[in-house]
Every structure is written in C-alpha cells, then in structure tokens.
Amino acid sequence: MDFKFDTVEEEFRSEVRKFIDKELPWNWREEDLDAEDEVDSIKVMEFKKKLGEQGWLTMAWPTKYGGQSATHMRQVVFNEEMAYRGIPAGDAGVRMVGPILMLYGTDEQKEQFLPKIANAEINWSQGYSEPDSGSDLASLQTRAVEDGDDFVVSGSKIWNSAHAGSDWMFMLVRTDPDAPKHRGISFVLSELETDGVTVERIPMMWEAYRGLVTFDNVRVPKKNL
Ligand SMILES: Cc1cc2nc3c(=O)[nH]c(=O)nc-3n(C[C@H](O)[C@H](O)[C@H](O)COP(=O)(O)OP(=O)(O)OC[C@H]3O[C@@H](n4cnc5c(N)ncnc54)[C@H](O)[C@@H]3O)c2cc1C
C-alpha cells in the first residue's frame, strides 16, 4: 500500500509553507512564546486572524457553517506544517465551542459565534476547573440561578487563560443543585467584560501565569445557555 500524499495534497503543503514564510512574524519555538501569556497571546491572535482569512482555522468545519469540509489528509498536511513550526493554530473556540454549537446551539448562537470563531475574533477562556474541583469535575460548585431572562452566576474558575486577553469564557455551571453531582450541570457562554467578574493572575513554576476568575452575582443571559 502506498501511504504517500497525492499531488493536490503536496501542492497544498507548498502553499501553506509559502504562507507561513511570508506571514509568520516570529519563530515560536526559538522565542519560547506562551499562547496564554498576556503579550504573546496578542501575537497568536494576530496570526490566527491571518489563518482565518484563508479559511484554514476552521477547514475541518462543514461548509454550511463557514468551514471548508476539508478531507482528513488535507487537515493532516496543514496540522503537520503548523506543528513543524510549533504554531498554535487551533484554539478552544475552533475545537470545542464551535462544534458544540453546531450540535446543540440555537440558530441565534450559531449566527452570533461561528463566524467570529472562524475569523479568530474571540479569544476564549475555558472555565471548567475550580479551586476545589479538578479531576473530579462533577464536584464543581459554581452556581447559576435563574432570574428572569438571566442566570445569576457565582463561583470561581481557575487555571484558565482569562488573564491573557480573553473576551469570553465557555464554562460549566451548576444549574440544579438537587440533582446527582454529575447531573444538573450546564454549559454557558459568559462575556468576561461584565460587572462582577474579577480576573487575577496566578504565578506558575515556569515564569508564566494562569487566570483565576471570580464571578460575584454575574448576570449571564439565558440565551447563552
Ligand atoms: C497549566 C495549566 C493550564 C490549565 N488550563 C485550564 C483551563 O484553561 N481551563 C480549565 O478549566 N482547567 C485548566 N487546567 C486545569 C486542569 O485541567 C486540572 O489541573 C485538572 O483537571 C486536574 O485538576 P487538579 O489540578 O485540581 O488536580 P487534582 O484533581 O487535585 O489531582 C491531583 C492528582 O491526583 C490524581 N487523582 C485525582 N483523582 C484521582 C482518583 N480518583 N484516583 C487516582 N488519582 C487521582 C490526579 O491524577 C493528579 O495526579 C489547567 C491546568 C494547568 C496545570
């Protein structure tokens, strides 16, 4: 069996290489950049925007959601070239939020978020872990209480990238405290520039930081569930 890439795939590889040579303003590995650092994350977002303009950031997405329905081999070629240069080309929006919205989101959510994810217009933060909830994620305590058209969210999310310019957090919150602990948990999208949200930096052992976000009675519209 011949495992070689075909001509079209190799042509695409050349196109990606030329693009990187022209557009990549830094050498990720040599400069030791951290995608979750306040300053470095700006560079990453700028480069992701360029990938977004090519449609490459979301090439795996179906065309009906603005992707390219790329073949697996085309994705392999792209990911190989990104990995070879150490470029963080994927992100939580592309890999996690987008596909979840395609499966479970409302039409309004798809319209609001998918194009922005594809164009790297949102810097997402992942809000799963809490100070007292790590591997045992079902023990999470952040509460979301229904109040009119909103949820009122209180609790803390830790180890995330919120300190590094994140605009939105996709987060797990407890909406039914009476359900067994692995149930009664909901997935909501929360804008971080909102009253009651505090972002602190936690120093890591390798001269970097991660975020601790506290939600103090933060109103999150129910339409973001
Ligand atoms: C650099 C960094 C970035 C991160 N980014 C994010 C992020 O963006 N968003 C986010 O939500 N989270 C993030 N995390 C959190 C990460 O996913 C958690 O660290 C992880 O869920 C583990 O939780 P914990 O650190 O509280 O460890 P614990 O759950 O306290 O586990 C400690 C140790 O005990 C072991 N252990 C736990 N339970 C058991 C068991 N039942 N049996 C046997 N062994 C067990 C674990 O394997 C581990 O070795 C990040 C973490 C780090 C270090």
Side-chain angles (χ1 to χ4, degrees):
M1 189 175 273
D2 183 2
F3 284 108
K4 280 201 167 80
F5 291 100
D6 67 21
T7 316
V8 175
E9 287 151 4
E10 286 301 354
E11 278 171 9
F12 178 58
R13 185 188 300 282
S14 302
E15 187 186 342
V16 174
R17 281 184 184 167
K18 270 190 211 143
F19 177 85
I20 296 172
D21 288 342
K22 183 164 168 267
E23 301 289 351
L24 190 70
W26 25 256
N27 184 326
W28 186 264
R29 289 212 176 97
E30 277 177 17
E31 291 189 29
D32 197 20
L33 301 177
D34 175 359
E36 296 188 18
D37 172 79
E38 289 96 316
V39 178
D40 296 349
S41 67
I42 297 169
K43 292 184 178 183
V44 177
M45 286 306 283
E46 279 169 8
F47 187 64
K48 278 187 193 167
K49 283 196 171 78
K50 290 180 184 171
L51 293 176
E53 284 165 16
Q54 302 292 313
W56 290 346
L57 212 49
T58 49
M59 65 163 66
W61 286 11
T63 38
K64 79 172 200 177
Y65 292 125
Q68 297 182 335
S69 295
T71 62
H72 285 112
M73 293 311 270
R74 195 173 169 90
Q75 293 176 46
V76 167
V77 168
F78 178 75
N79 287 325
E80 272 189 352
E81 292 306 314
M82 293 295 128
Y84 186 66
R85 309 282 186 107
I87 302 167
D91 72 11
V94 174
R95 285 182 280 107
M96 300 169 84
V97 184
I100 288 170
L101 292 182
M102 286 175 213
L103 286 174
Y104 303 109
T106 61
D107 288 343
E108 191 186 342
Q109 288 168 343
K110 288 174 193 165
E111 255 171 56
Q112 181 182 355
F113 292 107
L114 293 182
K116 288 186 177 161
I117 293 172
N119 294 323
E121 285 171 33
I122 299 179
N123 186 352
W124 292 94
S125 175
Q126 179 182 333
Y128 292 178
S129 302
E130 298 182 0
D132 293 317
S133 182
S135 307
D136 179 18
L137 195 54
S139 64
L140 66 87
Q141 295 297 321
T142 295
R143 276 285 277 132
V145 180
E146 289 188 57
D147 184 27
D149 291 336
D150 299 330
F151 287 110
V152 178
V153 176
S154 297
S156 298
K157 294 292 176 182
I158 198 168
W159 309 126
N160 48 64
S161 58
H163 62 293
S166 294
D167 321 287
W168 285 78
M169 176 175 276
F170 57 99
M171 58 191 296
L172 293 173
V173 292
R174 191 163 292 285
T175 37
D176 183 357
D178 299 323
K181 72 173 192 172
H182 58 288
R183 294 193 177 275
I185 295 172
S186 300
F187 184 93
V188 295
L189 305 177
S190 217
E191 209 162 1
L192 290 176
E193 190 70 45
T194 305
D195 284 348
V197 176
T198 312
V199 181
E200 291 168 67
R201 297 153 90 225
I202 310 169
M204 301 284 105
M205 290 174 73
W206 63 96
E207 295 180 13
Y209 294 89
R210 290 297 178 267
L212 168 62
V213 184
T214 307
F215 292 80
D216 181 10
N217 290 308
V218 175
R219 300 197 81 86
V220 175
K222 276 186 187 164
K223 67 183 173 74
N224 292 357
L225 173 73

